[in-house]
Amino acid sequence: AGSQQDLVKIQNIDPAIYIDMRYAGIHNFTGRQVYTANVCVLRRGTAEKLARANAEFAKRGFRLKIWDAYRPLSVQKIFWKLVPDRRYVANPQGNASRHNRGTAVDVTLVDEQGRELIMPSEFDDFSYRAQRDYPGISPFAQSNAAYLAEVMEQAGFRSLGSEWWHFDDADWTMYPVEDIPLENFL
Ligand SMILES: C[C@@H](N)C(=O)N[C@H](C)C(=O)O
Ligand SMILES: [Zn+2]
């Protein structure tokens, strides 16, 4: 584990998964493009787990939509400067983010028309609304987030209490933190 070869483009593992890399555009909490290439990369094992989850969602007419996957460590440092709050951004020192290892994904669900399901909050809403169990959240949004987490956990991911959209591969410790530029994967 740990070489660039272990990192794969998700579209080569499961082309049915929707991709909208938010940090490759300006529609994200920084308000600017922080990724140097619009490419969605994960460890092969993580990508295979995600494909399994997507196949399960497809049985009920849904698909995964990815907002973020592998994130270079240098980008994590930019995020931490803006939001130094461990609930919402992992500290780039020490273990850093599971995203920096290519073993975390930020996802939601879309229906057959590609419309996003109602969820507890917008992506990267760094407030109590991002918690899937916050009492003020509508039962409908809560049940969609619970369904997302149930299938992702069955496929081998762990959910995060403070961000309903974030999932870590349970095997994340097998892989090191990377700072490989995204354009290397184009
Ligand atoms: C920045 C946000 N999308 C995110 O990924 N947060 C988690 C906690 C992380 O940085 O690993
Ligand atoms: Zn995340």
Side-chain angles (χ1 to χ4, degrees):
S3 72
Q4 193 164 332
Q5 285 69 39
D6 299 317
L7 288 158
V8 295
K9 287 203 257 188
I10 186 70
Q11 73 205 50
N12 293 338
I13 303 293
D14 187 347
I17 296 178
Y18 277 63
I19 300 173
D20 176 15
M21 298 299 285
R22 288 291 195 88
Y23 307 124
I26 61 167
H27 185 202
N28 64 67
F29 77 96
T30 71
R32 65 184 180 91
Q33 185 191 324
V34 279
Y35 280 1
T36 50
N38 189 354
V39 62
C40 184
V41 168
L42 285 170
R43 297 290 176 184
R44 182 177 295 280
T46 311
E48 285 167 354
K49 286 176 187 174
L50 201 63
R52 280 205 288 280
N54 198 46
E56 191 58 36
F57 290 125
K59 289 182 191 166
R60 287 174 60 178
F62 302 115
R63 286 195 213 183
L64 282 164
K65 179 177 189 172
I66 304 182
W67 284 320
D68 196 27
Y70 163 66
R71 178 191 307 155
L73 182 64
S74 46
V75 173
Q76 193 70 24
K77 291 177 182 166
I78 297 171
F79 287 0
W80 181 252
K81 263 193 189 155
L82 292 169
V83 182
D85 183 330
R86 284 199 173 100
R87 286 173 301 172
Y88 305 118
V89 175
N91 189 331
Q93 295 195 326
N95 276 337
S97 168
R98 278 49 152 173
H99 284 285
N100 306 144
R101 297 167 190 262
T103 56
V105 280
D106 294 336
V107 291
T108 192
L109 287 171
V110 295
D111 65 16
E112 275 160 348
Q113 281 72 44
R115 291 176 304 216
E116 286 178 20
L117 268 60
I118 292 172
M119 288 292 179
S121 73
E122 293 295 312
F123 174 52
D124 278 351
D125 178 331
F126 296 146
S127 79
Y128 59 83
R129 285 186 291 272
Q131 297 171 30
R132 67 172 58 80
D133 298 331
Y134 183 72
I137 304 298
S138 82
F140 189 53
Q142 262 185 26
S143 101
N144 286 342
Y147 170 56
L148 174 64
E150 185 192 322
V151 175
M152 290 292 283
E153 285 168 11
Q154 275 168 9
F157 290 89
R158 290 187 187 143
S159 53
L160 192 68
S162 52
E163 293 180 351
W164 62 262
W165 58 81
H166 177 103
F167 296 91
D168 295 314
D169 185 335
D171 296 323
W172 64 270
T173 54
M174 288 171 56
Y175 304 96
V177 168
E178 307 277 12
D179 202 17
I180 303 165
L182 284 162
E183 59 268 29
N184 283 26
F185 300 98
L186 287 174

